[in-house]
C-alpha cells in the first residue's frame, strides 16, 4: 500500500478562485510528479521535482505552479481557476534508485464552474 | 526519448477468456517498462514491471507480460478474465533518470 495522499479528493470551485491541491507522501521519496488526466484519457505530465527546491515543467504546458519546500510535500497551485482547468490531477512519487516503482495518489477531481 | 503505443483504446472480452493488451515501446536506451491499472475515480496501481531481469514478468491479479526486445513489445496477458478486471490499463516506459512516459491507455470491458 502506497503512502501518498491527495486532498481534496473532489473540488468544485468558481472561475477566478485560487486553489491549492495538496500532495503528501511518507516514504521519503525524492522524486515527485503531477499529472493531469481528463476522464478516460491519457496522463500528461505537468510538473515534477527531483528533490527539495527542485521543480521542472513537464510535457504539457500548464498554468499551474508547484513548490517543493519539504521532501514529503508537493502542492500544486492555480492562481486563477478557469473552466479549462477542469480535470483530474494525479500526484506520484518514487525513490531515486533505478527501476523503482512510481506510486500514485488517489487523485483530485477538479470542476471549475 | 521514449514513447509508448497501446494498440486498441478499448478491448472487450468474455468472462473466462484470454486477456491480451498490446503495448509497443520506443527507447534509445534499455528501458524499464511498466503496466498500471486504474479503476474509476482512483489513482494508478502497479500491475508489474520489467527491469532487465527475467523477460517474462508476473504481476498481481494473475497478470503477466513478456518483454520482447526484437519486437519492442511488452504485451499484457491474463489467461482467464474476471469481471473485476474491467478497468483502464496503461503501459509506461522509462529510461534511467527520466520521467515515466505513458501510453494512451486501453479500456478493458469484461462481458458476463
Amino acid at each position: 500500500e502506497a503512502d501518498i495522499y491527495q486532498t481534496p479528493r473532489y473540488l468544485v470551485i468558481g472561475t477566478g478562485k485560487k486553489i491549492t491541491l495538496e500532495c503528501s507522501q511518507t516514504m521519503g521519496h525524492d522524486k515527485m510528479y503531477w499529472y493531469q488526466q481528463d476522464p478516460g484519457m491519457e496522463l500528461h505530465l505537468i510538473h515534477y521535482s527531483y528533490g527539495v527546491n527542485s521543480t521542472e515543467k513537464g510535457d504539457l504546458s500548464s498554468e499551474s505552479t508547484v513548490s517543493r519546500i519539504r521532501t514529503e510535500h508537493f502542492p500544486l497551485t492555480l492562481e486563477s481557476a478557469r473552466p479549462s482547468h477542469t480535470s483530474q490531477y494525479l500526484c506520484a512519487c518514487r525513490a531515486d534508485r533505478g527501476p523503482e516503482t512510481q506510486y500514485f495518489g488517489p487523485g483530485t477531481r477538479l470542476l471549475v464552474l | 526519448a521514449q514513447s509508448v503505443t497501446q494498440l486498441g483504446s478499448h478491448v472487450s472480452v468474455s468472462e473466462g477468456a484470454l486477456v491480451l493488451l498490446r503495448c509497443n515501446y520506443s527507447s534509445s536506451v534499455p528501458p524499464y517498462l511498466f503496466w498500471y491499472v486504474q479503476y474509476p475515480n482512483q489513482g494508478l496501481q502497479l500491475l508489474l514491471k520489467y527491469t532487465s531481469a527475467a523477460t517474462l514478468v508476473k504481476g498481481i491479479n494473475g497478470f503477466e507480460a513478456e518483454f520482447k526486445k526484437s519486437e519492442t513489445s511488452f504485451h499484457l496477458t491474463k489467461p482467464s478474465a474476471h469481471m473485476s478486471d474491467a478497468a483502464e490499463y496503461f503501459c509506461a516506459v522509462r529510461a534511467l533518470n527520466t520521467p515515466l512516459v505513458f501510453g494512451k491507455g486501453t479500456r478493458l470491458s469484461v462481458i458476463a
Side-chain angles (χ1 to χ4, degrees):
Chain A
E1 191 76 19
D3 295 322
I4 178 167
Y5 309 98
Q6 291 185 244
T7 57
R9 290 292 317 278
Y10 302 93
L11 180 61
V12 181
I13 201 163
T15 297
K17 298 292 186 182
K18 177 180 179 179
I19 60 170
T20 296
L21 307 185
E22 302 288 347
C23 176
S24 295
Q25 50 101 0
T26 59
M27 295 175 280
H29 288 175
D30 286 325
K31 298 188 173 180
M32 297 191 73
Y33 307 86
W34 276 103
Y35 293 85
Q36 184 174 343
Q37 182 188 31
D38 291 329
M41 302 294 284
E42 63 196 292
L43 284 80
H44 294 285
L45 179 67
I46 53 175
H47 298 283
Y48 61 99
S49 167
Y50 284 173
V52 171
N53 295 325
S54 154
T55 61
E56 301 286 345
K57 290 188 179 296
D59 304 322
L60 180 68
S61 175
S62 174
E63 295 169 342
S64 58
T65 59
V66 293
S67 63
R68 190 85 182 276
I69 299 172
R70 303 197 315 266
T71 297
E72 63 271 22
H73 196 213
F74 191 40
L76 181 146
T77 298
L78 277 166
E79 290 292 333
S80 180
R82 296 208 303 257
S84 61
H85 297 139
T86 294
S87 190
Q88 175 164 249
Y89 293 84
L90 292 166
C91 182
C93 66
R94 73 173 178 90
D96 188 17
R97 292 184 302 274
E100 291 293 333
T101 297
Q102 186 161 307
Y103 296 98
F104 283 82
T108 293
R109 192 171 292 277
L110 173 65
L111 173 60
V112 183
L113 301 175
Chain B
Q2 293 78 43
S3 67
V4 171
T5 301
Q6 290 186 240
L7 299 175
S9 59
H10 187 202
V11 172
S12 185
V13 299
S14 298
E15 191 174 19
L18 171 71
V19 175
L20 171 60
L21 304 182
R22 300 178 186 274
C23 172
N24 288 90
Y25 71 92
S26 173
S27 178
S28 56
V29 297
Y32 302 125
L33 292 158
F34 304 80
W35 274 101
Y36 283 85
V37 61
Q38 184 179 33
Y39 298 101
N41 298 318
Q42 294 187 25
L44 276 69
Q45 179 184 7
L46 181 73
L47 278 176
L48 48 81
K49 65 181 178 183
Y50 167 75
T51 61
S52 76
T55 56
L56 181 62
V57 182
K58 293 186 184 299
I60 62 171
N61 302 337
F63 284 94
E64 63 181 37
E66 186 172 9
F67 172 70
K68 292 187 176 181
K69 185 177 180 180
S70 61
E71 298 177 9
T72 61
S73 69
F74 191 56
H75 300 331
L76 182 71
T77 61
K78 181 175 181 178
S80 177
H82 192 273
M83 296 298 289
S84 61
D85 294 326
E88 191 86 18
Y89 291 80
F90 292 92
C91 182
V93 63
R94 181 170 67 79
L96 192 63
N97 294 328
T98 63
L100 268 178
V101 174
F102 285 89
K104 294 187 176 183
T106 298
R107 178 169 300 173
L108 175 65
S109 297
V110 182
I111 304 168

